[in-house]
């Protein structure tokens, strides 16, 4: 035994000495002697610094070393640990007496010139480059370790996608021997994607297997031809946790996965079995609060909303304590009143049979006030434009609700990238204050409208328009602020022109100051437009009549504080003159001058945070438009007057109710539900219904780019032309007296990049219009369904299309038309139609 140990020890010393020190003139008498290093040089280093090599070796001229000895071994090890060299030798050049001359001989590892892939499509290359970027560096050293790590990263990438049998190998190809450069080529084989054949459960008595499978959102069974099914170990573990979380919502707090099995079938597919233990179902018994001084137990219990005998539900309990998105949780009571350090923990003090006692341990902490409000990143928008929208002011108590509302208002300005808005609130514990820091990223928000659309009887219409959404009127005389126009004060300037040559021309301009006077959110708008249609003789090409509209408007709006500050009210005075001369077809009247002086009042409430792709919230508005009741103050016999005289001064009252609701469903999927109802009435039965200001339902709504452009409100109805609606309800060319429209959309974003937001949608529409109010039947709807696409480009606004399939085209049904004739494309250019 002792002999073997001695032999092994002697062999180890011999091998170590042989590897650590070699000499072309090493004599037996040099061994185990002490030498002074007389000189030290490096051989073989082409790309490495020789002085650095000598420093790292730990050897230097003048050192006394043993040959061979520990300093030699330590030097070799230190240099090899750099992973820059494939081999290191320390060689005796010569000795003179007790002085030794040493060479450090190194072989450098090759440098990486680049890498490529074989065996896979190019579409994977960029993704794989990101995966191995941390292991390979162009110009860096190539080691076995970083090659192995790269291979594993490639395999893991495909395993995550369900290719469990993916393999990868690598080979070095010398590119430049003089520069010691190599290129790596990874040969990748995905092999077949491994599907999940089935997921089964045992032990599930109180939950159906189908429901449990739905909770395993990323571990899906291969059921349908085009369904996705792949096995990912990490996601599988998360899905098992989701199953247990679901059991917790049913009251089974002790539910657990006892065991699970994952195996491969002969065809390679995977089968999974999850063995569950549900445990008992629990109920809440006693709930007590401890540590609360600001609110009573009753107040906190009312906010908690959990009662004696309720089923145990951890998810609901967490939501009622601190995770409610609508601010109705217990935490909001404190966090909206400055108690930034507030915390509450639900501790189970007793678990008795099927009952649980909870003690809510409350830490209220100190109340914090806001010290500074800091805004960063606004390189184009003036700071006061952002600051005036904020609900967080210095000196106020900290409020989480005000913080959320401030973020919403910043987004609604439309000047900043929603995804990049940051909020930080560093706390000064000693002073009891908190700073609020908003970080924004400017995005392009001015719009250029350059489009063409077919407007039915108007023919092909060309449009050129510009809208500056962050305009600055006060800097208009300062040439250095023109980029291309002065910006930064949050004002809006819009200029627009439409024409199709001699037949049609339209020009309009508007200006809005959102904070008149700068102290309150009171908007002021002034605008005007001119439109002219010419009646062209098809034979001579000469104009034989025309229809013109001249209009001006002045409006004021403000934000209300009651019932809450989400309400807005707007009032505008509008003066419009409609003049027709031998112009038939558009209205039942062909000649006359019609003056339209009206007051328009709108009450609206909006909680939408993103105007481009809303995910939650609502927008509701009620609008009334009124002219003076001229006929009630006149002795004229209006029943005996012709239309031109009777409506020289239009009189009517007009109402619109518009509603939109948005709700996030699963992931990024958003549900939009909307409804619109409008009607126009008269004051005097002898005067009757105005031929102007009625409603036109159908088509794509392109003609309604600006209100009043044809003296009607034009509302789109996907899948139907205007004639489809007019025909069935005998609506005249003047338009309808009443309409309704309801819509349901499922929206999914492809990209929410502020440079080009893109989303797809599927819709169900229903709407109709009637010639008289008494004919109104709200549920007698023309129905349609279809798909659509929207692209928002900051310079051009909304672009896209809808394809609608109308179910209730009576004329086509009676004619026995082919199903393809029931479909209709609608195009969206520059704006979202009503």
């Amino acid at each position: 035994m002792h002999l073997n140990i001695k032999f092994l020890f002697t062999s180890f010393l011999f091998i170590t000495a042989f590897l650590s020190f070699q000499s072309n003139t090493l004599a037996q008498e040099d061994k185990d002697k002490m030498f002074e290093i007389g000189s030290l040089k490096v051989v073989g280093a082409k790309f490495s610094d020789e002085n650095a090599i000598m420093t790292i070796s730990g050897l230097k001229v003048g050192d006394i070393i043993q040959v061979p000895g520990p300093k030699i071994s330590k030097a070799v090890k230190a240099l090899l640990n750099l992973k820059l060299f494939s081999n290191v030798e320390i060689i005796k050049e010569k000795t003179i007496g007790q002085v030794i001359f040493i060479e450090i001989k190194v072989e450098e590892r090759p440098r990486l010139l680049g890498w490529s892939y074989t065996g896979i499509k190019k579409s994977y290359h960029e993704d794989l480059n990101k995966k191995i970027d941390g292991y390979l560096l162009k110009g860096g050293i190539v080691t076995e370790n970083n090659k192995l790590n790269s291979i594993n990263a490639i395999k893991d990438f495909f395993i995550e996608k369900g290719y469990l049998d993916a393999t990868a190998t690598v080979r070095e190809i010398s590119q430049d021997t003089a520069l010691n450069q190599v290129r790596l080529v990874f040969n990748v084989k995905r092999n077949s994607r491994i599907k999940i054949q089935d997921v089964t459960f045992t032990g599930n008595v109180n939950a159906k297997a189908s429901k449990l499978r739905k909770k395993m959102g990323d571990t899906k069974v291969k059921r349908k031809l085009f369904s996705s099914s792949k096995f990912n170990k990490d996601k599988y573990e998360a899905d098992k946790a989701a199953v247990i979380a679901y059991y917790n919502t049913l009251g089974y707090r002790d539910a657990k996965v006892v065991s699970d099995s994952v195996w491969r079938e002969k065809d390679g597919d995977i089968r999974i079995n999850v063995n569950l233990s549900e445990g008992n179902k629990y109920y809440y018994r006693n709930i007590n609060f401890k540590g609360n001084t600001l609110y009573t137990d009753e107040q906190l219990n009312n906010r908690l909303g959990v009662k004696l005998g309720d089923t145990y539900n951890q998810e609901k309990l967490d939501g009622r304590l601190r995770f409610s998105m609508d601010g109705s949780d217990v935490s909001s009571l404190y966090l909206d009143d400055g108690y930034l350090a507030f915390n509450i923990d639900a501790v189970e003090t007793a678990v008795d049979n099927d009952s649980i006692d909870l003690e809510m341990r409350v830490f209220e902490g100190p109340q914090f006030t806001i010290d500074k409000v800091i805004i960063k990143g606004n390189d184009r928008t003036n700071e006061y434009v952002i600051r005036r929208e904020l609900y967080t002011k210095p000196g106020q108590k900290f409020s989480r609700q005000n913080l959320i509302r401030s973020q919403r208002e910043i987004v609604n300005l439309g000047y900043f990238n929603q995804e990049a808005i940051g909020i930080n609130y560093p706390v000064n514990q000693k002073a009891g204050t908190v700073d609020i820091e908003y970080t924004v990223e400017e995005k392009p928000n001015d719009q250029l409208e350059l489009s063409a659309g077919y407007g039915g009887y108007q023919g092909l219409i060309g449009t050129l328009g510009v809208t500056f959404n962050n305009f600055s009127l006060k800097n208009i005389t300062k040439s250095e602020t023109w980029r291309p126009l002065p910006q930064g004060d949050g004002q809006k300037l819009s200029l627009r022109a439409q024409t199709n040559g001699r037949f049609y021309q339209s020009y309009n301009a508007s200006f809005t100051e959102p904070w008149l006077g700068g102290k309150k959110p009171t908007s002021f708008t002034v605008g005007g437009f001119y439109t002219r249609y010419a009646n062209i003789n098809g034979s001579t090409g000469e104009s034989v009549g025309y229809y013109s509209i001249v209009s001006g408007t002045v409006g004021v709006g403000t934000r209300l504080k009651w019932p809450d500050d989400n309400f807005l009210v707007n009032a505008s005075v509008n003066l419009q003159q409609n003049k027709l001369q031998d112009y038939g077809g558009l209205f039942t009247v062909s000649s006359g001058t019609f003056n339209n002086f009206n007051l328009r009042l709108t009450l609206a409430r909006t909680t939408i945070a993103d105007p481009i792709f809303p995910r939650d919230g609502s927008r509701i508005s009620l609008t009334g438009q009124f002219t003076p009741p001229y006929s009630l103050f006149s002795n004229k016999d209006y029943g005996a007057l012709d239309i031109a005289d009777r409506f020289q001064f239009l009189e009517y009252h007009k109402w619109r109710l518009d509603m939109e609701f948005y709700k996030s469903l699963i992931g990024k999927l958003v549900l939009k539900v909307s409804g619109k109802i409008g009607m126009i009435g008269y004051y005097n039965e002898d005067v009757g219904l105005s031929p102007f200001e009625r409603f036109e339902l159908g088509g794509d709504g392109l003609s309604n780019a600006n209100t009043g452009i044809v003296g009607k409100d034009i509302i789109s109805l996907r899948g139907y032309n205007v004639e489809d609606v007019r025909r069935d309800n005998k609506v005249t060319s003047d338009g309808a007296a009443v309409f309704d429209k309801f819509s349901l959309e499922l929206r999914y974003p492809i990209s929410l990049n502020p440079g080009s937001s893109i989303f797809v949608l599927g819709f169900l529409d229903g709407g109709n219009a009637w010639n008289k109010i008494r004919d109104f039947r709200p549920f007698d709807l023309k129905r349609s369904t279809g798909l659509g696409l929207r692209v928002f480009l900051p310079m051009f606004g909304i672009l896209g299309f809808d394809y609608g399939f109308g179910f209730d085209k009576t004329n086509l049904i009676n004619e026995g038309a082919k199903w393809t004739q029931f479909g209709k494309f609608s195009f969206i250019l520059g704006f979202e139609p009503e």
Side-chain angles (χ1 to χ4, degrees):
M1 178 72 176
H2 294 290
L3 182 62
N4 290 338
I5 294 175
K6 185 176 180 181
F7 175 78
L8 292 173
F9 182 75
T10 304
S11 301
F12 174 78
L13 291 178
F14 176 81
I15 293 170
T16 302
F18 180 81
L19 293 176
S20 302
F21 190 91
Q22 296 183 26
S23 173
N24 53 343
T25 59
L26 186 61
Q28 184 67 30
E29 59 269 17
D30 290 336
K31 289 185 178 182
D32 298 323
K33 290 184 179 181
M34 304 301 291
F35 290 91
E36 177 185 350
I37 300 177
S39 72
L40 190 66
K41 64 180 180 178
V42 177
V43 177
K46 297 180 180 179
F47 307 101
S48 303
D49 185 85
E50 294 183 0
N51 291 326
I53 292 174
M54 288 188 286
T55 299
I56 293 170
S57 74
L59 303 175
K60 59 182 183 294
V61 175
D63 282 354
I64 304 299
I65 62 172
Q66 184 180 1
V67 180
K71 287 190 176 182
I72 299 295
S73 300
K74 186 177 180 180
V76 172
K77 186 176 181 180
L79 292 173
L80 287 174
N81 283 341
L82 293 176
K83 301 188 184 301
L84 298 176
F85 312 109
S86 57
N87 189 40
V88 176
E89 296 177 341
I90 296 180
I91 300 174
K92 181 187 77 173
E93 183 182 7
K94 62 182 179 179
T95 58
I96 300 177
Q98 296 301 114
V99 178
I100 190 168
F101 298 83
I102 292 177
E103 289 183 356
I104 301 176
K105 185 178 180 181
V106 297
E107 292 182 18
E108 292 181 312
R109 291 185 183 275
R111 305 274 172 164
L112 181 62
L113 181 63
W115 63 87
S116 59
Y117 308 94
T118 60
I120 53 172
K121 297 181 292 185
K122 288 186 178 180
S123 58
Y124 285 119
H125 290 195
E126 185 176 349
D127 291 332
L128 289 177
N129 287 341
K130 293 177 182 178
K131 290 291 183 180
I132 66 176
D133 186 56
Y135 305 117
L136 297 179
L137 177 66
K138 289 184 179 180
I141 300 300
V142 178
T143 68
E144 293 302 319
N145 190 47
N146 56 29
K147 288 194 292 185
L148 180 61
N149 286 334
S150 299
I151 287 173
N152 290 335
I154 292 170
K155 290 166 65 176
D156 289 344
F157 171 80
F158 284 106
I159 288 172
E160 287 178 6
K161 293 184 174 298
Y163 299 96
L164 304 186
D165 298 330
T167 63
T169 57
V170 63
R171 57 192 175 95
E172 290 185 13
I173 299 178
S174 178
Q175 295 291 298
D176 192 323
T177 305
L179 295 177
N180 198 22
Q181 290 181 327
V182 297
R183 175 177 288 277
L184 299 181
V185 179
F186 294 95
N187 183 32
V188 183
K189 293 182 179 179
R190 291 186 313 172
N191 295 315
S192 300
R193 189 194 294 268
I194 305 304
K195 308 293 184 181
I196 300 174
Q197 190 176 103
D198 200 5
V199 178
T200 57
F201 298 90
T202 55
N204 57 309
V205 177
N206 296 287
K208 293 182 179 180
S210 58
K211 187 69 175 180
L212 298 179
R213 272 191 286 269
K214 288 181 180 179
K215 295 300 175 182
M216 302 184 75
D218 292 309
T219 308
K220 298 179 180 179
V221 178
K222 175 68 174 175
R223 296 291 192 195
K224 298 178 181 179
L225 180 62
F226 298 106
S227 63
S228 174
S229 174
K230 60 186 178 182
F231 181 79
N232 181 293
K233 185 176 181 181
D234 292 337
K235 291 180 178 180
Y236 169 60
E237 294 298 326
D239 282 343
K240 287 192 295 182
V243 169
I244 300 304
Y246 172 65
Y247 266 108
N248 292 162
T249 66
L250 301 177
Y252 297 92
R253 67 181 286 278
D254 297 332
K256 61 183 179 180
V257 175
V258 178
S259 62
D260 66 305
S261 302
V262 181
W263 69 95
R264 301 277 292 271
E265 294 287 326
K266 291 182 179 180
D267 60 0
D269 283 353
I270 285 177
R271 293 181 68 93
I272 299 172
N273 178 259
V274 181
N275 183 22
L276 298 165
S277 172
E278 294 179 334
N280 295 328
K281 187 172 184 178
Y282 287 85
Y283 303 87
Y284 294 115
R285 185 170 59 185
N286 297 314
I287 300 178
N288 299 311
F289 290 86
K290 183 179 179 179
N292 53 303
T293 61
L294 297 169
Y295 298 96
T296 66
D297 289 5
E298 183 180 2
Q299 288 173 309
L300 296 180
N301 256 320
N302 289 336
R303 182 59 71 100
L304 183 63
V306 177
K307 302 184 296 296
L308 172 68
D310 283 355
T311 301
Y312 169 88
N313 187 329
Q314 186 64 49
E315 182 180 312
K316 180 181 178 181
L317 182 66
D318 289 340
R320 299 307 304 163
L321 286 176
R322 59 177 66 85
F323 298 124
S324 175
M325 296 302 294
D326 60 1
S328 62
D329 55 354
V330 174
S331 294
S332 295
L333 282 174
Y334 289 89
L335 293 177
D336 291 343
D337 198 30
Y339 293 91
L340 183 58
F342 167 80
N343 188 41
I344 184 169
D345 291 319
V347 179
E348 296 179 1
T349 55
V351 179
D352 186 12
N353 292 324
D354 64 349
S355 300
I356 296 176
D357 293 343
L358 292 179
E359 182 176 86
M360 302 296 178
R361 296 178 182 175
V362 176
F363 174 74
E364 295 175 334
Q367 195 175 39
F368 286 83
T369 57
I370 299 173
D371 183 21
K372 299 176 184 176
V373 177
I374 303 164
I375 300 170
K376 301 177 180 179
N378 52 311
D379 52 14
R380 185 162 61 243
T381 303
N382 292 323
E383 184 173 303
Y384 77 87
V385 173
I386 306 171
R387 194 172 292 276
R388 69 193 183 189
E389 300 289 342
L390 302 180
Y391 283 72
T392 52
K393 310 287 185 183
Q396 290 181 342
K397 290 181 292 186
F398 175 86
S399 169
R400 183 182 67 176
Q401 192 64 32
N402 286 345
L403 203 65
I404 295 171
R405 180 65 186 275
S406 298
Q407 183 181 25
R408 192 183 95 189
E409 295 303 322
I410 292 174
V411 171
N412 283 338
L413 285 173
Y415 309 152
F416 308 107
N417 178 6
Q418 178 186 0
E419 307 299 324
I421 293 175
I423 302 178
N424 189 28
Y425 37 94
V427 173
N428 186 332
Q429 292 282 359
K430 291 183 179 180
T433 60
V434 57
D435 293 341
I436 309 295
E437 297 178 355
Y438 296 95
T439 304
V440 298
E441 179 184 292
E442 301 263 10
K443 70 174 185 179
N445 66 313
D446 296 329
Q447 294 180 7
L448 170 65
E449 184 181 355
L450 181 61
S451 63
Y454 188 77
Y457 52 80
Q458 300 167 8
L460 187 65
I461 303 171
T463 303
L464 176 62
V466 289
T467 301
F468 299 96
N469 289 303
N470 196 1
F471 185 66
S472 176
L473 184 63
K474 70 179 181 182
N475 290 327
I476 200 165
T477 59
K478 300 177 182 179
S479 58
E480 65 273 13
T481 65
W482 285 58
R483 295 177 297 180
L485 285 180
Q487 301 179 51
D489 283 341
Q491 298 163 342
K492 181 176 180 178
L493 175 65
S494 178
L495 305 171
R496 196 167 185 272
Q498 280 188 316
T499 184
N500 72 342
R502 296 178 60 194
F503 171 71
Y504 166 73
Q505 298 178 59
S506 179
Y507 310 96
N508 65 73
S510 66
F511 171 80
T512 299
E513 165 56 68
W515 281 67
L516 186 63
K519 295 183 179 180
K520 294 183 178 181
T522 299
S523 64
F524 173 77
T525 299
V526 60
F529 73 83
Y530 168 78
T531 300
R532 179 184 173 90
Y533 299 87
N535 191 358
I536 304 296
N537 186 307
S539 301
T540 64
E542 296 180 355
S543 174
V544 295
Y546 65 89
Y547 164 43
S548 67
I549 308 172
V550 180
S551 178
T553 183
V554 176
V556 178
T558 191
R559 184 185 300 153
L560 302 180
K561 296 182 179 180
W562 185 90
D564 61 43
D565 56 10
N566 292 308
F567 279 86
L568 305 169
V569 64
N570 184 276
S572 64
V573 176
N574 309 284
L575 179 60
Q576 184 180 107
Q577 184 183 77
N578 297 271
K579 193 171 184 179
L580 292 92
Q581 180 65 48
D582 296 326
Y583 194 92
L586 190 57
F587 302 98
T588 54
V589 61
S590 59
S591 295
T593 300
F594 306 88
N595 299 293
N596 184 2
F597 176 72
N598 64 77
L599 173 67
R600 183 183 176 96
L601 301 174
T602 299
L603 177 65
R605 186 179 189 272
T606 178
T607 58
I608 290 174
D610 182 3
I612 303 303
F613 187 78
R615 301 169 204 184
D616 286 286
S618 62
R619 182 188 292 119
I620 303 172
S621 67
L622 175 64
T623 301
Q625 189 170 317
F626 315 95
T627 65
Y630 302 107
S631 64
L632 300 183
F633 304 101
S634 173
N635 294 323
K636 294 181 180 179
D637 181 6
Y638 282 90
L641 298 178
D642 61 21
I643 293 179
D645 291 333
R646 194 190 320 160
F647 293 105
Q648 182 180 1
F649 291 94
L650 299 179
E651 60 174 60
Y652 59 86
H653 55 91
K654 181 178 177 182
W655 305 87
R656 279 282 299 268
L657 176 63
D658 295 76
M659 300 172 289
E660 295 178 0
F661 302 91
Y662 298 88
K663 181 65 178 178
S664 293
L665 298 179
I666 302 172
K668 297 179 180 180
L669 188 65
V670 173
L671 171 67
K672 175 190 176 183
V673 179
S674 64
K676 304 175 190 292
I677 298 176
M679 60 182 63
I680 184 171
Y682 49 79
Y683 304 114
N684 189 332
E685 189 172 356
D686 290 337
V687 176
L689 203 62
S690 167
F692 298 89
E693 295 292 342
R694 298 195 194 182
F695 307 100
E696 192 89 274
L697 183 68
D700 51 24
L702 281 177
S703 301
N704 205 31
N706 285 282
T707 303
I709 201 168
V710 291
K712 305 172 186 177
D713 285 4
I714 298 180
I715 299 93
S716 66
L717 183 61
R718 292 171 285 198
Y720 293 90
N721 293 313
V722 171
E723 293 76 13
D724 295 326
V725 179
R726 281 184 181 178
R727 181 188 304 109
D728 294 341
N729 290 332
K730 300 179 181 179
V731 176
T732 68
S733 58
D734 293 335
V738 59
F739 86 96
D740 65 356
K741 175 189 172 184
F742 304 97
S743 182
L744 185 150
E745 290 184 3
L746 284 175
R747 299 176 163 198
Y748 189 84
I750 297 174
S751 168
L752 293 178
N753 188 314
S756 61
S757 297
I758 306 171
F759 64 90
V760 293
L761 59 91
F763 65 85
L764 291 172
D765 278 358
N768 216 335
W770 295 266
N771 209 37
K772 298 177 181 179
I773 294 178
R774 65 171 176 263
D775 296 331
F776 180 44
R777 298 184 300 280
F779 302 111
D780 178 17
L781 304 175
K782 293 188 175 298
R783 302 160 300 166
S784 66
T785 187
L787 301 172
L789 171 73
R790 300 289 186 274
V791 179
F792 176 79
L793 301 175
M795 283 293 292
F796 297 97
I798 294 288
L799 307 175
F801 72 89
D802 292 316
Y803 180 79
F805 185 88
F807 297 113
D808 302 301
K809 294 186 176 182
T810 307
N811 61 314
L812 295 179
I813 294 172
N814 293 337
E815 294 170 4
K818 295 180 180 179
W819 69 269
T820 53
Q821 294 178 255
F822 288 79
K824 181 181 182 298
F825 271 103
S826 299
F827 295 95
I828 295 91
L829 301 170
F831 68 98
E832 185 77 58
E834 289 197 64

